[in-house]
Amino acid sequence: FTIIIHKGARLADLIALHEDYRIGDVLGPLGQAFEIRNYGTVVCCGDGVGFVPIIPVIRALKQAGNRVVTILSEFTSETSCLRANVEPYSDVILHSSEEAATLELMDRVLTEEKVDLTVMTGPTPMMKAIAECTRARQIPTRCILNMVMLDGVGLCGICRVMVDGKRMLTCIDGPVFDAHHVDFDQLQNRQRHFV
């Protein structure tokens, strides 16, 4: 049988197994962890429901001593509940109801502040535009990709993305990538096939 170890798994369950008991497979956690440390000032940007994957990153970055500026894109009555999840961990919260306004907010923050890192998740065109903006300013930028995945262990290949001209799999090589090296045009083209 297969034991899937997840964040809530208990070590006691494994310790309780008798000697010579065989475990067929152990699966998890998948992917690569986001490096949490004190970068300085970090801008975290996400949109709507797609903002959810960045919430634990915001919390951890604040707990590591960073100054966190949070930008909520596609802020509506349906997504306003997300604000409460990041308020305790954000020094500044900005929000917009549309992508163009989000890019203007990002540009304003990058102009007014000394930003040490940008972290983003959301629609591919928005991430591409932010990556171009931060590349011009030489600000390190990480993107958290939210890809369609079937197996989560790299067998199906549906979550592949080109990074520095190399094929990477979001499920095992990601989901966090250096946004300045992601081929967002290729990514957007692939995503059209899996809508």
Side-chain angles (χ1 to χ4, degrees):
F1 76 96
T2 301
I3 293 178
I4 299 176
I5 298 178
H6 52 85
K7 188 175 181 181
R10 298 181 321 150
L11 184 59
D13 293 338
L14 291 176
I15 294 171
L17 298 175
H18 61 73
E19 187 176 332
D20 294 326
Y21 190 90
R22 292 182 186 219
I23 298 174
D25 297 296
V26 177
L27 178 64
L30 303 176
Q32 305 300 313
F34 185 95
E35 184 183 352
I36 301 296
R37 62 182 172 86
N38 191 334
Y39 294 92
T41 297
V42 182
V43 176
C44 297
C45 181
D47 81 310
V49 177
F51 185 79
V52 172
I54 208 169
I55 292 172
V57 173
I58 291 170
R59 182 182 317 118
L61 287 169
K62 186 61 183 174
Q63 291 170 344
N66 292 282
R67 180 172 188 279
V68 178
V69 177
T70 301
I71 300 175
L72 290 155
S73 178
E74 292 187 26
F75 192 74
T76 66
S77 59
E78 287 100 21
T79 61
S80 62
C81 60
L82 298 171
R83 183 182 173 109
N85 290 291
V86 295
E87 267 182 337
Y89 309 104
S90 302
D91 295 280
V92 176
I93 297 179
L94 305 169
H95 48 78
S96 68
S97 58
E98 57 187 48
E99 189 176 309
T102 301
L103 298 174
E104 288 174 16
L105 284 175
M106 178 64 77
D107 188 59
R108 188 179 89 203
V109 170
L110 297 178
T111 301
E112 294 174 358
E113 305 237 10
K114 182 199 174 295
V115 175
D116 300 292
L117 177 69
T118 299
V119 184
M120 61 181 171
T121 186
T124 303
M126 183 184 84
M127 290 194 296
K128 178 184 177 184
I130 291 172
E132 289 171 358
C133 186
T134 58
R135 182 185 292 113
R137 291 175 163 90
Q138 299 180 337
I139 298 169
T141 302
R142 304 289 176 266
C143 58
I144 302 171
L145 299 182
N146 187 8
M147 304 288 290
V148 172
M149 296 180 201
L150 295 181
D151 57 58
V153 294
L155 296 176
C156 73
I158 202 168
C159 67
R160 71 179 174 265
V161 59
M162 297 302 287
V163 181
D164 277 336
K166 291 187 255 180
R167 185 173 48 204
M168 307 290 273
L169 297 171
T170 302
C171 65
I172 57 177
D173 300 313
V176 180
F177 294 99
D178 183 330
H180 295 162
H181 298 278
V182 172
D183 185 338
F184 286 107
D185 292 328
Q186 184 269 349
L187 176 60
Q188 189 169 5
N189 189 42
R190 279 191 50 73
Q191 288 173 327
R192 285 188 188 107
H193 298 289
F194 303 106
V195 176

